[in-house]
Amino acid sequence: MVLFTRKEDVVENFHGTDIRDPYRWLENPEDPEMQQWVDEQNYRTQEFLETFPDRERVKSKLTETWNYAKYTVPQKEGEYYYFHKNDGLQNQAVFYRTKDLNSEDLEVVLDPNTMNDEGTAAITNLSFSKNGKRLAYGISLNGSDWQEIRIRNLETGKDESDLIRFCKFSSIAWNEAGTGFFYNRFPDPSTVSAEEQSYYNKVYWHEAGTGQDDDVLVYEDPDNKEFSFNPMLSDDYHYLILNVWKGTENKSRIYYKDLDTDGEFVHLFDKGDGEYSFIGNEGRTFYFLTNVDAPYEKIIAVDLDNPGKENWTDVIPENDDVLSFGKIINGKIVVGYLHNAHYELKVFDLDGKRGVDVKLPGFISLTGLTGKKEEPWMFIGYTSYLSPNAIASYNFGDGELTAVFQEENKFKTEGFETTQVFYPSKDGTMIPMFLTHKKGLELNGENPVVLYGYGGFNVSLTPSFSPALRMCIEEGGVYAVANLRGGGEFGEDWYKAGTLERKQNVFDDFIAAAEWLIEEGYTKKEKLAIMGGSNGGLLVGASITQRPDLFGAAICQVPVTDMLRYHKFTVGRYWVTDYGNAELNAEDFAYMIKYSPLHNVKEGVDYPPTLITTADTDDRVVPAHAMKFAATLQASYFGDNPILLRVEKNAGHGLGKPTVKIIEEQTDIYSFLFKTLGVTI
């Protein structure tokens, strides 16, 4: 299938090298010609997918598999327990409350399904006042990172008049009396250029019942326009704490202000030498999770009167597993560890003395943990590749776990298994990989395999449940997840080994996973598909341009593909610490041009069947990345394999995507995979 896209003679010089960019016109979302081009691409994609005779059966199976009740971990506020629940096929989960978790008498607090006709309104932020009488909540539309914040009066069940705009990646911190909150936001987009809309983050105080124009500026730093400031309050409400961050680097700063005085903010940690995450306080002793001098993370206690590093106390020292998070509940520190890319949960006293291990199943991810400093119990959410999210309450007194929200389990696990293997990458580094499939799988080289990866931004790929994955393994497929360098599975060094000039390690790790699966008899090239989204879309794009001979199909989702210009769009500048900046630095350009998917497509190469997906209102990774990559592949490849683009309308990077759109997208993806891999159902 040959598709041609109009070219323009656009040339840009990077450090003495001319780079052609013939499809730059596709970067303009307002261009009618571009919109018409998108419609034609979508038409061609659907035309191809309609030739798969089992497409309706795929959709039917996906719909059936998706139709089960999904709960989030409840939290106790005032007299009520609050949680999200999706009955099965609702576009968005509804936010409920109840005084009795065993009761079916649920009160709707927020129903995003009623907030717009398209079902694309999503709840993206929740913050309760201490007395549980008010709830500040964020709403995002069409998958946008931008959100508006409103206040729901939980006594009347009605919204108050407040409306807070210009928020993105924002935090909300109520004062103790519940009369207002601190929050951070960006400038009004109409007052700055498009390039400046994600700069100059500021912290404000909002008094409930007043207009946003009356909000009081609390903190700004115009000399560091790239800094963002997330406010939080200490356990005793005496201190306003700002978590200061810059992009996606695994570093932060901590500023604090004593609210009982008129003093200025104290820059407690201001060197940018590592990550500092505030987890609680006892008076003027603050507890932080940090990677400073601890690549696997540790928890420290800091005396605000003697905050020098030489006075820190290692409460929970670094050990052989990554300390992923810590929370103070029941006067204890609850800690989640990553052991070989899956979670274990432990409880320590505040002085770091060992308490107990919380007995949870193996090969799981923790999906939520709630509880307060003074409460004698907590709620835990966990999931695996074979089981959807399960909720349990944990009693600190007797260590008992009790199931919450028990529903009939429609997903039997007896006939399936998840195992973990370690395989060598190109440089000999051993890389872990999860394999999920039917028990008794025959290693005959004939099994369809979907290999998934990410490898970036310190993100750890831990076990997770997907109805589409379940359908895949029920049809005899193997789902493989490789824990590549660039992720956070093994601490700071593992993460850095997949960044900047070391980014090629990530692609080598992924390619080595594919080679291992073939060598060990799990599959063969013709039945091996690769899949990844966002930074994982970059991974897929780089893999098919470096080793097009190795794969039978590729799903490249919301990808970053133009490594020379990515930093110019929306929040792309956040990623410079992972990728580099080819425009400003010749050294960065030298290694980025070698793997940038858009710039490594060649003529005369037999590329695998490829489906590239994006969304027209994605303001995280702009759709131009996917569009330009698709146009370039289509113009360069003259073989028989389909090179297709799917552009979702009125959707973003994935946040808040309604169930109906998810099922449609997954139907198209798995129809494409089954057709190209020769799978019948």
Side-chain angles (χ1 to χ4, degrees):
M1 181 184 296
V2 180
L3 297 173
F4 294 100
T5 302
R6 179 176 66 81
K7 295 183 178 182
E8 291 182 344
D9 188 20
V10 177
V11 180
E12 190 170 357
N13 189 277
F14 286 81
H15 312 287
T17 301
D18 285 340
I19 302 295
R20 297 193 175 277
D21 195 3
Y23 304 117
R24 188 171 292 186
W25 63 276
L26 291 173
E27 293 178 358
N28 180 10
E30 306 301 324
D31 184 351
E33 182 184 4
M34 189 277 283
Q35 296 169 2
Q36 182 179 350
W37 179 87
V38 166
D39 290 340
E40 181 180 345
Q41 291 282 337
N42 277 337
Y43 175 80
R44 295 292 185 90
T45 297
Q46 294 305 317
E47 187 178 45
F48 173 83
L49 294 174
E50 286 169 2
T51 63
F52 180 54
D54 291 337
R55 187 180 183 189
E56 286 304 313
R57 292 185 65 191
V58 169
K59 184 174 183 178
S60 177
K61 287 182 69 71
L62 276 172
T63 303
E64 178 187 356
T65 309
W66 229 281
N67 193 13
Y68 67 95
K70 308 165 191 68
Y71 295 86
T72 61
V73 180
Q75 62 186 100
K76 182 77 177 298
E77 302 291 345
E79 298 180 314
Y80 292 90
Y81 298 94
Y82 291 83
F83 56 91
H84 296 271
K85 178 189 177 185
N86 189 312
D87 290 337
L89 297 176
Q90 290 174 288
N91 277 328
Q92 303 288 344
V94 178
F95 194 51
Y96 291 99
R97 71 178 182 180
T98 182
K99 292 183 178 180
D100 180 3
L101 288 173
N102 295 314
S103 171
E104 296 183 0
D105 183 21
L106 305 180
E107 178 185 348
V108 174
V109 180
L110 298 169
D111 185 357
N113 297 291
T114 65
M115 294 179 182
N116 74 347
D117 294 336
E118 296 80 15
T120 61
I123 302 170
T124 52
N125 210 338
L126 292 169
S127 179
F128 290 87
S129 62
K130 182 182 179 181
N131 59 17
K133 295 181 178 181
R134 280 175 163 154
L135 167 67
Y137 68 96
I139 291 293
S140 171
L141 297 177
N142 298 330
S144 174
D145 284 331
W146 291 102
Q147 59 184 241
E148 293 184 345
I149 296 172
R150 299 180 181 272
I151 296 177
R152 175 63 54 95
N153 186 310
L154 295 173
E155 294 181 305
T156 66
K158 304 293 184 183
D159 277 351
E160 299 181 358
S161 60
D162 309 63
L163 174 62
I164 308 296
R165 300 185 294 161
F166 321 131
C167 294
K168 181 193 296 188
F169 314 128
S170 297
S171 295
I172 302 168
W174 286 92
N175 68 347
E176 186 171 17
T179 59
F181 54 78
F182 300 95
Y183 72 99
N184 59 304
R185 69 167 175 87
F186 290 101
D188 179 344
S190 67
T191 65
V192 295
S193 66
E195 293 77 13
E196 296 281 289
Q197 289 181 5
S198 294
Y199 291 94
Y200 299 108
N201 198 245
K202 300 178 183 181
V203 179
Y204 288 87
W205 163 258
H206 175 75
E207 189 77 21
T210 66
Q212 187 171 12
D213 291 342
D214 296 324
D215 290 354
V216 178
L217 178 64
V218 174
Y219 192 83
E220 64 176 335
D221 187 352
D223 293 332
N224 290 288
K225 69 176 186 178
E226 294 184 350
F227 284 6
S228 291
F229 310 94
N230 288 111
M232 65 193 85
L233 285 167
S234 59
D235 295 341
D236 54 16
Y237 289 91
H238 289 319
Y239 302 95
L240 173 62
I241 302 157
L242 302 183
N243 182 68
V244 186
W245 54 278
K246 175 185 173 183
T248 54
E249 63 180 343
N250 197 27
K251 296 178 180 179
S252 62
R253 294 165 168 82
I254 295 291
Y255 307 162
Y256 76 90
K257 176 182 173 64
D258 187 338
L259 295 177
D260 295 329
T261 70
D262 294 327
E264 299 296 319
F265 276 91
V266 177
H267 289 203
L268 182 63
F269 304 130
D270 198 25
K271 295 180 180 179
D273 57 347
E275 173 198 10
Y276 298 92
S277 297
F278 175 77
I279 63 172
N281 75 302
E282 287 288 334
R284 290 183 64 80
T285 298
F286 278 29
Y287 294 89
F288 295 94
L289 184 148
T290 185
N291 59 10
V292 175
D293 298 332
Y296 278 55
E297 311 267 356
K298 63 182 179 179
I299 291 178
I300 61 173
V302 178
D303 181 353
L304 296 188
D305 296 316
N306 296 285
K309 190 175 179 180
E310 67 278 4
N311 298 316
W312 295 357
T313 300
D314 286 355
V315 178
I316 302 179
E318 180 185 30
N319 68 22
D320 293 336
D321 290 327
V322 174
L323 202 167
S324 180
F325 68 85
K327 295 191 69 171
I328 297 180
I329 305 174
N330 187 234
K332 299 181 181 295
I333 303 178
V334 181
V335 170
Y337 280 106
L338 273 179
H339 175 72
N340 289 341
H342 55 93
Y343 275 93
E344 296 177 349
L345 193 62
K346 303 179 186 294
V347 179
F348 295 86
D349 293 331
L350 275 180
D351 59 6
K353 292 181 179 178
R354 181 68 178 273
V356 296
D357 293 347
V358 180
K359 301 299 182 183
L360 296 170
F363 289 161
I364 63 160
S365 289
L366 293 169
T367 59
L369 189 73
T370 64
K372 291 187 168 59
K373 189 174 180 179
E374 67 281 359
E375 290 174 343
W377 40 262
M378 63 180 172
F379 292 109
I380 305 167
Y382 58 93
T383 188
S384 70
Y385 288 117
L386 293 173
S387 297
N389 198 33
I391 312 291
S393 65
Y394 176 82
N395 186 306
F396 283 91
D398 57 19
E400 289 295 316
L401 281 170
T402 304
V404 179
F405 302 139
Q406 293 191 70
E407 300 270 348
E408 180 183 358
N409 185 6
K410 65 184 291 184
F411 301 105
K412 305 303 180 185
T413 61
E414 293 80 6
F416 303 91
E417 64 180 347
T418 295
T419 59
Q420 188 178 47
V421 299
F422 287 79
Y423 65 89
S425 187
K426 182 178 180 179
D427 63 0
T429 301
M430 299 303 291
I431 311 296
M433 179 164 56
F434 291 107
L435 302 173
T436 302
H437 49 75
K438 286 182 177 179
K439 289 182 178 178
L441 183 77
E442 186 177 354
L443 301 184
N444 58 8
E446 295 295 327
N447 304 297
V449 171
V450 176
L451 171 61
Y452 188 86
Y454 188 80
F457 300 112
N458 203 42
V459 172
S460 301
L461 286 190
T462 58
S464 62
F465 183 80
S466 160
L469 154 65
R470 179 70 185 204
M471 179 193 67
C472 181
I473 64 173
E474 286 179 351
E475 296 301 323
V478 178
Y479 185 62
V481 177
N483 297 108
L484 316 171
R485 283 174 284 186
E489 292 89 345
F490 296 97
E492 187 74 4
D493 294 340
W494 187 263
Y495 159 59
K496 288 182 177 178
T499 62
L500 301 174
E501 73 276 9
R502 301 168 293 274
K503 188 67 178 176
Q504 184 59 41
N505 285 335
V506 183
F507 314 135
D508 291 342
D509 293 352
F510 200 54
I511 289 167
E515 293 173 332
W516 186 90
L517 288 163
I518 294 171
E519 291 168 1
E520 294 296 315
Y522 282 88
T523 192
K524 59 184 178 182
K525 173 251 183 180
E526 292 80 7
K527 289 187 175 292
L528 173 60
I530 55 175
M531 183 187 296
S534 196
N535 175 76
L538 162 63
L539 171 69
V540 171
S543 296
I544 64 172
T545 51
Q546 293 185 18
R547 286 296 307 274
D549 60 302
L550 190 56
F551 314 109
I555 305 294
C556 187
Q557 298 170 288
V558 290
V560 184
T561 67
D562 186 346
M563 302 311 298
L564 305 189
R565 288 175 56 78
Y566 77 87
H567 59 285
K568 293 180 175 291
F569 307 105
T570 60
V571 296
R573 59 98 174 169
Y574 288 170
W575 316 329
V576 168
T577 50
D578 254 56
Y579 295 150
N581 188 320
E583 181 182 33
L584 294 181
N585 302 307
E587 295 84 0
D588 292 356
F589 170 77
Y591 64 76
M592 295 171 77
I593 193 64
K594 292 179 180 178
Y595 72 78
S596 178
L598 183 66
H599 302 97
N600 283 279
V601 176
K602 298 177 177 62
E603 293 187 1
V605 173
D606 191 24
Y607 290 104
T610 301
L611 176 63
I612 304 164
T613 71
T614 187
D616 63 348
T617 58
D618 189 338
D619 56 11
R620 181 82 60 85
V621 179
V622 293
H625 283 282
M627 295 175 185
K628 291 166 68 175
F629 188 47
T632 303
L633 277 170
Q634 291 168 355
S636 303
Y637 176 63
F638 296 95
D640 296 328
N641 292 331
I643 308 293
L644 302 174
L645 176 68
R646 183 187 190 278
V647 182
E648 186 79 67
K649 298 295 183 72
N650 298 315
H653 199 59
L655 174 72
K657 184 174 288 189
T659 298
V660 63
K661 285 183 178 288
I662 294 174
I663 292 176
E664 288 173 355
E665 179 184 42
Q666 293 298 310
T667 297
D668 286 352
I669 286 173
Y670 278 89
S671 293
F672 180 86
L673 286 177
F674 290 166
K675 178 177 173 63
T676 54
L677 298 182
V679 177
T680 57
I681 66 171

